[in-house]
Amino acid sequence: MEFQQLRMFLKVAEQGSFTKAARDCGVSQPAISQQVGKLEATLGRPLFERQGRQVTLTEAGELLRRRALQIISLVDDTARLLRDDGETGRVVVSAIPTIAPYLMPGLLEAFHEDHPRARVEVNEEVTEVILRRCSQGEIDVGVLAMPASGGYLRFETLFEEEMLLVTPADHPLAGRDRVELDDLRDQPFVLLDEAHCLSDDIRSFCRRRQFQPVSTGRVSQLATVQELVAQGFGISLVPAMAVPVDPGPRLRFRPLDGDRPSRTITACWNPDRYQSRLMLRFLETLKRGRGGAS
């Protein structure tokens, strides 16, 4: 068995497709099929069941997947240990879409000032993918919102962030001196779709006050949420870090009075993997500065 064969096998297992795995590995589909075929020939067992364009692991394939993850992780960690000087190398970070565009640019700028020879790779992914990739050793640090659980992953709270009410500028609530959550009870909401934990945070907060927000639309980006609010499709709650410096004349942002909604931002990592000095310094930058987020 060769390490490259194991890496390609793991990518096919993750994607459930030779075509998608080839794209992620930067090789042709025949090339990755050939390497997996050689691996199957070496082991004398089929590793995948082919079902059209989709593939699933056989019993032997699942056993190899578990062992291959351990092998590749050990090899990668050893290489990182040997060349770890705390200044060069790569840190792979994933953040959820409601955090990445607001927190990461300032964080990367601050980290680059202190570690100009380091390289940070940033991925924008939903919580489920971050937890899986962190468990499998594909990323060094995940940045997400609680609640989240990942078995043996380690979580550390970074900060609490308030969520603000956003309304059209001409909305009746925009001119009120006080607005509480109960005032939103009959208002239509524009929310992110189910893949985003922020919508779960909003619904959970509302349920604690015995009402369910009436959703008029679900989208995948906070910028779209704000645009739909500006056009009068409803109101919403958005993280403070997503509030524009200049919101323009069409939107009004304000904190709620009384019981204020918030979310907990946390970092996660796999404590069973080698923690490079560079990764630990990146984590300290994240905990110390929040990347300049407001």
Side-chain angles (χ1 to χ4, degrees):
M1 289 186 290
E2 299 177 2
F3 290 130
Q4 190 63 18
Q5 290 176 344
L6 290 178
R7 293 185 190 277
M8 291 184 176
F9 160 76
L10 287 173
K11 185 57 68 174
V12 176
E14 176 191 340
Q15 295 290 353
S17 164
F18 279 87
T19 301
K20 293 179 180 178
R23 180 192 61 206
D24 287 356
C25 292
V27 299
S28 67
Q29 190 271 334
I32 202 168
S33 296
Q34 182 183 48
Q35 291 302 314
V36 171
K38 289 181 178 179
L39 187 58
E40 290 179 317
T42 299
L43 298 173
R45 301 280 296 277
L47 301 174
F48 294 102
E49 293 180 358
R50 276 72 169 177
Q51 301 170 339
R53 294 185 177 182
Q54 294 295 116
V55 295
T56 58
L57 288 167
T58 63
E59 183 178 350
E62 177 57 31
L63 175 60
L64 179 61
R65 186 192 69 83
R66 294 195 297 267
R67 296 295 179 88
L69 284 172
Q70 296 173 348
I71 293 169
I72 295 300
S73 179
L74 181 61
V75 171
D76 288 347
D77 285 351
T78 300
R80 295 174 67 179
L81 173 61
L82 292 174
R83 61 174 179 260
D84 185 12
D85 62 2
E87 294 297 334
T88 59
R90 182 181 68 154
V91 178
V92 183
V93 184
S94 286
I96 58 176
T98 58
I99 291 177
Y102 312 107
L103 180 67
M104 299 311 295
L107 173 67
L108 296 181
E109 182 179 3
F111 188 72
H112 180 70
E113 288 180 0
D114 294 333
H115 306 280
R117 294 185 295 156
R119 181 164 63 94
V120 181
E121 177 185 315
V122 178
N123 305 284
E124 188 174 290
E125 297 166 317
V126 296
T127 299
E128 180 183 357
V129 175
I130 291 176
L131 295 175
R132 185 186 74 243
R133 295 191 68 202
C134 197
S135 296
Q136 294 177 352
E138 296 179 0
I139 63 174
D140 296 300
V141 182
V143 185
L144 37 78
M146 297 300 283
S149 61
Y152 51 82
L153 293 181
R154 182 169 296 170
F155 295 85
E156 183 167 344
T157 297
L158 299 175
F159 56 92
E160 294 288 328
E161 182 187 27
E162 185 176 356
M163 290 189 285
L164 304 181
L165 172 66
V166 56
T167 68
D170 58 357
H171 194 278
L173 294 177
R176 280 216 199 162
D177 292 334
R178 289 179 58 85
V179 177
E180 298 185 358
L181 188 64
D182 285 344
D183 298 320
L184 314 183
R185 186 177 298 274
D186 298 322
Q187 299 290 331
F189 273 72
V190 180
L191 299 174
L192 294 171
D193 60 37
E194 287 86 350
H196 298 273
C197 59
L198 181 63
S199 293
D200 290 335
D201 292 339
I202 294 172
R203 284 189 287 265
S204 296
F205 183 79
C206 292
R207 280 196 296 268
R208 292 199 296 271
R209 299 298 297 268
Q210 286 75 55
F211 81 92
Q212 180 74 19
V214 179
S215 176
T216 62
R218 291 177 180 171
V219 297
S220 60
Q221 296 184 34
L222 281 174
T224 308
V225 168
Q226 295 183 30
E227 180 59 30
L228 290 177
V229 169
Q231 293 181 18
F233 285 93
I235 64 173
S236 195
L237 294 169
V238 299
M241 68 172 67
V243 176
V245 175
D246 180 8
R250 298 191 301 159
L251 291 173
R252 293 292 182 269
F253 296 86
R254 62 180 298 166
L256 291 176
D257 294 290
D259 190 12
R260 295 184 174 185
S262 64
R263 64 175 181 170
T264 302
I265 308 302
T266 186
C268 70
W269 63 93
N270 188 338
D272 292 336
R273 295 191 67 219
Y274 172 69
Q275 312 298 306
S276 72
R277 293 167 61 190
L278 193 65
M279 175 269 188
L280 293 175
R281 290 175 180 177
F282 178 86
L283 190 59
E284 285 303 315
T285 301
L286 180 59
K287 292 188 291 185
R288 182 178 64 250
R290 292 173 45 179
S294 59

